[in-house]
Amino acid sequence: MRIRIVGAGAMGRGIAQWAAAAGHTVELCDVRTEAVTAAVDFVRSMLERAVQKGRMSPEDSAAALGRLVPLDDPWARGPEVELVIEAVREDLDTKAEVFGKLEQALPDSAVFATNTSSLSVTRIAASLRDPGRLAGLHFFNPVPLMKIVEVVPGSATRPEIPPALTALVESCGHRAVTVADTPGFLVNHAGRGLVTEALALLEESVADPAGIDRIARDVLGLRMGPFELMDLTGLDVTAAVIDSIWQGFRYEDRLRPSFLTPNRVTAGLHGRKTGQGWFEYGPDAPAPAPEPPVTGDADRPVFVAGDEGDELRSALSAAGATVESGPGPSESALVLVPVWGTTVAAAVASQGLPAARTFGVDPLPPAGRRRVLAVTPASGPAAARDARAVLARATDGGEPWAVSVVRDTAGSVAQRLLASVVSVAASIAERSLATPADIDLAVTTGLGYPVGPLAWGDRIGAARMLDLQRSLHATTGDPRHRPARWLTERAQLGLSLTEPGTSPAACAQR
């Protein structure tokens, strides 16, 4: 296939490398000739690096570079061009102008694709004489390594084009997911669950950014915590995406932005690219502050309250802790309460527990060696230090647990992050914006989560996830925690969250 790529910046040159390496002839052009020259040099260096690392033979590298054709004129006639991929700046008028000129220069048979990450594909296509020839083809940077592409049909896109683009993408070694033309498409939309809830936790002073990141990594198993991720992406970019998706979905509560971001963006605290974001960067940046040492009395007796405590009792007993049994704690015992979607304060009130020495423990099975201890305003400081020391006695393969101390909140940190991730994905499935399989594929491939959000919900169990979200909603009164119908129905019917279900249309077929 002969492909013309318009725009020789980071995305355009990455797409060019990907397509040429897969065997396609690639015309690379830009309104700035020097950008094309720089892009070709960059692709050459990337292909040479692939040879050095043994990922490509010298012959294949030379052949791929030979298929890369620099053009001086983006609007040159191209009777053999079958596909155009536009990768110019993210501006509706600019993209419409580019496609308008291409429509004059290229045959009617050429398919147009926009690499937009945030603009409406339908609006871009509307300026064309034939809007049916255009679809979205959203790559992620760096293109050769990020092996996921969103195929986005606009409202007028001809039905045969999305399957053809999907086949092209997958023949070149990437995975393709089809997603409706909606704000954020799929990956950016699904990613809001993690960062918006992390910001909400910070608003409530549940933990600091470093503490939330530790829990996200060590309990949920994420590669990066949400604040590390925002610093890597750039808070200016993240905040703009959060706002545009929230506004695009008519102020959906699940997607509600934080009041924390506008001032930080204005102040230039964007992350790695500015040297300071949620954390500091650069040669003069201070080392990350270590976690406080464990200093309490690890031999103090503990009483584990509630129905969720069997695993914790076993772990502490195996570590040699003194775990009391019986109907209630002794006068000297610490009380640990595993809470699911509720608060420690509520457990103290409902069970008549001693407020100064009662603490919450998240029962969510951790991916790493970390437990989370929740303190209330009534917690005694010495008792809190002792509770942390007792909890740190538990081991995993001989290694002691790390223990994060957070402020009491409904569900604790990891539960709220996970509930939000699953809830946003369930709302995407509920709206039929993408299939359950594509949602999970896009998130694991595009965001690097250890498992897709719907499959993650299945690991916990649909009924237990529903109980968590209902408890969060009831405890906080915040509509952001309202369970999606997708989750509610599947929990009630005993179905997997990844089950598409039977549609009315299927019932009408013979």
Side-chain angles (χ1 to χ4, degrees):
M1 176 181 286
R2 193 173 189 92
I3 302 171
R4 180 175 296 184
I5 298 173
V6 182
M11 293 304 301
R13 68 193 185 189
I15 298 168
Q17 178 186 336
W18 167 79
H24 299 286
T25 300
V26 178
E27 298 177 353
L28 181 59
C29 51
D30 195 288
V31 292
R32 298 175 299 117
T33 304
E34 65 274 15
V36 177
T37 302
V40 171
D41 290 342
F42 177 83
V43 172
R44 180 185 293 107
S45 69
M46 290 296 100
L47 294 173
E48 290 172 352
R49 182 180 298 181
V51 172
Q52 293 168 1
K53 293 188 174 183
R55 295 198 298 260
M56 179 180 280
S57 70
E59 295 77 16
D60 287 344
S61 174
L65 192 61
R67 289 188 289 268
L68 187 58
V69 181
L71 286 185
D72 293 333
D73 181 8
W75 329 123
R77 297 286 176 182
E80 297 178 352
V81 172
E82 299 174 70
L83 172 66
V84 174
I85 303 176
E86 164 272 313
V88 302
R89 69 188 182 94
E90 199 73 345
D91 176 77
L92 181 64
D93 292 338
T94 301
K95 291 180 185 292
E97 180 183 359
V98 165
F99 282 118
K101 291 180 178 179
L102 290 168
E103 197 172 32
Q104 301 295 325
L106 299 180
D108 292 344
S109 58
V111 173
F112 290 172
T114 173
N115 184 53
T116 182
S117 60
S118 61
L119 300 174
S120 164
V121 172
T122 301
R123 291 188 67 188
I124 295 170
S127 62
L128 296 174
R129 293 195 308 267
D130 177 13
R133 71 193 299 187
L134 186 142
L137 201 57
H138 181 211
F139 294 82
F140 295 84
N141 191 36
V143 175
L145 300 181
M146 295 293 289
K147 297 184 178 294
I148 190 73
V149 183
E150 294 177 327
V151 177
V152 188
S155 297
T157 302
R158 290 196 292 273
E160 69 272 14
I161 289 179
L165 292 175
T166 296
L168 169 68
V169 167
E170 300 200 334
S171 71
C172 295
H174 277 30
R175 301 295 300 273
V177 292
T178 301
V179 57
D181 183 19
T182 51
F185 304 143
L186 178 48
V187 173
N188 283 331
H189 185 173
R192 295 318 92 203
L194 178 68
V195 295
T196 54
E197 196 61 35
L199 288 165
L201 287 162
L202 185 61
E203 284 183 9
E204 299 166 28
S205 301
V206 174
D208 64 10
I212 294 170
D213 279 357
R214 291 188 193 105
I215 294 169
R217 291 192 306 266
D218 297 344
V219 178
L220 296 181
L222 297 172
R223 294 178 188 173
M224 298 182 73
F227 293 96
E228 293 174 298
L229 180 61
M230 283 186 270
D231 274 359
L232 179 64
T233 303
L235 186 60
D236 54 335
V237 175
T238 298
V241 171
I242 291 173
D243 287 347
S244 67
I245 293 175
W246 179 61
Q247 292 162 6
F249 281 99
R250 296 300 184 262
Y251 310 104
E252 163 65 50
D253 287 306
R254 270 187 199 89
L255 305 170
R256 188 172 68 238
S258 169
F259 70 81
L260 295 173
T261 56
N263 281 349
R264 297 186 70 88
V265 171
T266 301
L269 303 175
H270 297 171
R272 290 180 180 272
K273 61 187 177 184
T274 60
Q276 186 170 358
W278 300 108
F279 309 106
E280 292 186 54
Y281 302 92
D284 299 326
E291 291 188 77
V294 176
T295 59
D297 179 6
D299 294 322
R300 188 166 173 176
V302 293
F303 177 83
V304 180
D307 298 330
E308 295 270 1
D310 289 345
E311 184 274 336
L312 181 59
R313 291 187 193 96
S314 297
L316 290 174
S317 296
T322 303
V323 182
E324 295 184 350
S325 58
S330 66
E331 290 296 323
S332 62
L334 303 166
V335 181
L336 301 180
V337 184
V339 288
W340 188 251
T342 59
T343 62
V344 181
V348 168
S350 64
Q351 300 178 44
L353 300 172
R357 50 193 173 96
T358 296
F359 306 90
V361 179
D362 189 346
L364 191 68
R369 289 187 291 271
R370 182 172 297 277
R371 294 281 188 169
V372 181
L373 184 76
V375 299
T376 72
S379 297
R385 290 192 292 271
D386 292 347
R388 183 168 182 248
V390 171
L391 202 56
R393 291 184 63 146
T395 61
D396 180 15
E399 292 290 331
W401 291 96
V403 180
S404 293
V405 180
V406 302
R407 180 180 178 180
D408 184 28
T409 184
S412 198
V413 172
Q415 290 175 36
R416 279 182 53 175
L417 293 176
L418 178 58
S420 183
V421 167
V422 174
S423 182
V424 170
S427 71
I428 293 172
E430 183 177 299
R431 291 183 168 102
S432 299
L433 305 184
T435 66
D438 278 356
I439 294 169
D440 279 359
L441 172 63
V443 170
T444 53
T445 309
L447 298 176
Y449 288 11
V451 65
L454 298 177
W456 207 342
D458 277 343
R459 282 189 178 182
I460 303 300
R464 188 160 169 77
M465 283 302 307
L466 179 59
D467 179 55
L468 171 60
Q469 295 191 0
R470 281 177 169 169
S471 295
L472 289 172
H473 190 205
T475 302
T476 65
D478 191 335
R480 72 186 297 116
H481 300 301
R482 174 179 53 82
R485 186 183 66 192
W486 185 272
L487 171 62
T488 303
E489 288 181 337
R490 278 153 181 75
Q492 292 170 337
L493 295 170
L495 295 176
S496 163
L497 297 181
T498 60
E499 171 60 50
T502 303
S503 67
C507 299
Q509 294 175 354
R510 290 190 174 185

